[in-house]
């Protein structure tokens, strides 16, 4: 055996002793860490599977409820929606709450439906798109009874922002203003729809129709006020008529 071979064997033995000592000291921690990683991966996979399974089950139930609804069996549909609101995954809980609010509106329970939509619009966990939809639904149900100030309070945030619902919000505000004979505000809202290049075509067409109605309405009112004599003019005309009658009687 050469000196170099002997030195290598000694170094190898020393390294093995060091490794053994390190293992004796830290080996248990390595094993625990490895087990924790394995358990974590397995646990995550199980959780994902259960979540997907629950989502599939909830999806089937939601579809079943929609089938009941389309089949005019609203009571059964509501039972399923209420069960999903209580026990379903978060996404289906929210969608089921929308369906229940819609059912209340169809049943004429407008105040309850508005309250349900308002609750959805204020809930932090609800997606912003769905919150905007809930705001619009509540405002739509209030359109015939609310004054324009209330509609502004409800919809200005959507109409003046970058929300995808801003077009519908402006249209509702325009309709509300028109209903309350605030033609200037109505014209502003419908004109804003025409100026915005993103306004959907069908909504742009409706805005044009409403602007034509507003123009016709204001022109009619303007013509009426011009043609009708004022109270002072009426008095003057009456005085002239009396003078004419007096002259006529004197002549006779």
């Amino acid at each position: 055996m050469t000196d170099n071979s002997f030195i290598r064997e000694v170094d190898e033995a020393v390294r093995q002793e060091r490794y053994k000592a390190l293992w004796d000291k830290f080996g248990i921690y390595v094993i625990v860490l490895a087990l924790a990683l394995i358990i974590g991966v397995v646990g995550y996979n199980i959780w994902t599977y259960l979540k997907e399974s629950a989502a599939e089950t909830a999806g089937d139930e939601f579809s079943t409820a929609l089938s009941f609804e389309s089949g005019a069996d609203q009571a059964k549909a509501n039972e399923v929606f209420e069960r999903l609101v209580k026990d379903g995954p978060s996404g289906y809980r929210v969608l089921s709450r929308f369906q229940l609010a819609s059912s209340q509106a169809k049943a004429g329970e407008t105040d309850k439906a508005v309250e349900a939509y308002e609750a959805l619009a204020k809930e932090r966990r609800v997606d912003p798109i769905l919150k905007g939809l809930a705001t619009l639904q509540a405002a739509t149900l209030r359109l015939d009874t609310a004054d324009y100030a209330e509609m502004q309070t409800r919809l200005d945030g959507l109409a003046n922002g970058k929300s995808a619902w801003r077009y519908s919000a402006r249209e509702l505000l325009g309709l509300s203003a028109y209903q309350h004979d605030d033609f200037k505000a109505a014209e502003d809202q419908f004109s804003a729809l025409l100026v915005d290049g993103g306004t959907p075509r069908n909504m742009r067409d409706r805005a044009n129709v409403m602007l034509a109605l507003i123009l016709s309405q204001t022109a009619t009112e303007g013509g009426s006020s011009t043609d009708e004599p004022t109270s002072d003019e009426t008095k003057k005309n009456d005085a002239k008529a009396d003078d004419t009658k007096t002259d006529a009687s004197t002549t006779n």
Side-chain angles (χ1 to χ4, degrees), residues 4 31 52 78 85 92 151 182 217 231 236 239 250:
N4 289 337
I31 293 173
E52 291 176 352
N78 287 348
V85 168
Y92 284 104
M151 296 296 286
D182 189 345
Q217 188 80 13
S231 59
K236 290 179 181 178
T250 301

Side-chain angles (χ1 to χ4, degrees), residues 89-101:
S90 59
Y92 284 104
R93 284 202 300 269
V94 171
L95 294 177
S96 296
R97 288 170 64 186
F98 268 97
Q99 292 299 126
L100 288 171

Side-chain angles (χ1 to χ4, degrees), residues 148-222:
Y148 185 59
E150 178 185 328
M151 296 296 286
Q152 283 183 300
T153 301
R154 289 179 177 276
L155 295 172
D156 271 352
L158 286 179
N160 298 325
K162 297 296 183 181
S163 170
W165 302 111
R166 65 184 182 274
Y167 312 110
S168 297
R170 287 173 183 164
E171 185 174 39
L172 282 177
L173 284 170
L175 291 172
S176 176
Y178 182 81
Q179 285 184 173
H180 292 89
D181 297 331
D182 189 345
F183 299 127
K184 177 62 172 64
E187 182 179 356
D188 290 343
Q189 295 296 344
F190 291 121
S191 295
L193 285 172
L194 295 182
V195 171
D196 194 326
T199 302
R201 175 176 291 182
N202 60 339
M203 199 172 291
R204 187 182 296 276
D205 292 341
R206 291 198 298 270
N208 271 317
V209 170
M210 291 306 301
L211 286 171
L213 285 174
I214 292 168
L215 180 61
S216 173
Q217 188 80 13
T218 53
T220 300
E221 291 186 357

Side-chain angles (χ1 to χ4, degrees), residues 18-208:
R18 287 178 179 174
Y19 293 152
K20 185 177 183 303
L22 288 172
W23 178 259
D24 290 341
K25 187 175 182 179
F26 300 109
I28 186 64
Y29 300 110
V30 174
I31 293 173
V32 170
L33 179 61
L35 287 174
L37 289 173
I38 293 171
I39 292 172
V41 171
V42 172
Y44 176 77
N45 288 334
I46 292 174
W47 176 80
T48 301
Y49 169 76
L50 292 175
K51 184 178 180 181
E52 291 176 352
S53 178
E56 289 178 3
T57 301
D60 292 339
E61 289 190 57
F62 191 81
S63 297
T64 300
L66 291 178
S67 298
F68 285 142
E69 196 171 48
S70 63
D73 196 341
Q74 191 64 55
K76 284 187 177 180
N78 287 348
E79 287 180 9
V80 179
F81 289 137
E82 287 169 359
R83 185 164 63 248
L84 286 172
V85 168
K86 183 179 179 181
D87 301 322
S90 59
Y92 284 104
R93 284 202 300 269
V94 171
L95 294 177
S96 296
R97 288 170 64 186
F98 268 97
Q99 292 299 126
L100 288 171
S102 174
S103 172
Q104 290 171 330
K106 291 175 183 176
E109 299 175 339
T110 305
D111 291 341
K112 289 183 179 180
V114 169
E115 185 178 347
Y117 284 127
E118 288 175 341
L120 283 163
K122 294 175 182 176
E123 192 165 322
R124 289 186 304 170
R125 291 175 294 180
V126 175
D127 184 89
I129 292 292
L130 294 179
K131 290 174 74 170
L133 176 59
T135 299
L136 276 178
Q137 295 290 71
T140 300
L141 291 174
R142 291 286 298 155
L143 180 61
D144 290 336
T145 52
D147 58 22
Y148 185 59
E150 178 185 328
M151 296 296 286
Q152 283 183 300
T153 301
R154 289 179 177 276
L155 295 172
D156 271 352
L158 286 179
N160 298 325
K162 297 296 183 181
S163 170
W165 302 111
R166 65 184 182 274
Y167 312 110
S168 297
R170 287 173 183 164
E171 185 174 39
L172 282 177
L173 284 170
L175 291 172
S176 176
Y178 182 81
Q179 285 184 173
H180 292 89
D181 297 331
D182 189 345
F183 299 127
K184 177 62 172 64
E187 182 179 356
D188 290 343
Q189 295 296 344
F190 291 121
S191 295
L193 285 172
L194 295 182
V195 171
D196 194 326
T199 302
R201 175 176 291 182
N202 60 339
M203 199 172 291
R204 187 182 296 276
D205 292 341
R206 291 198 298 270
N208 271 317

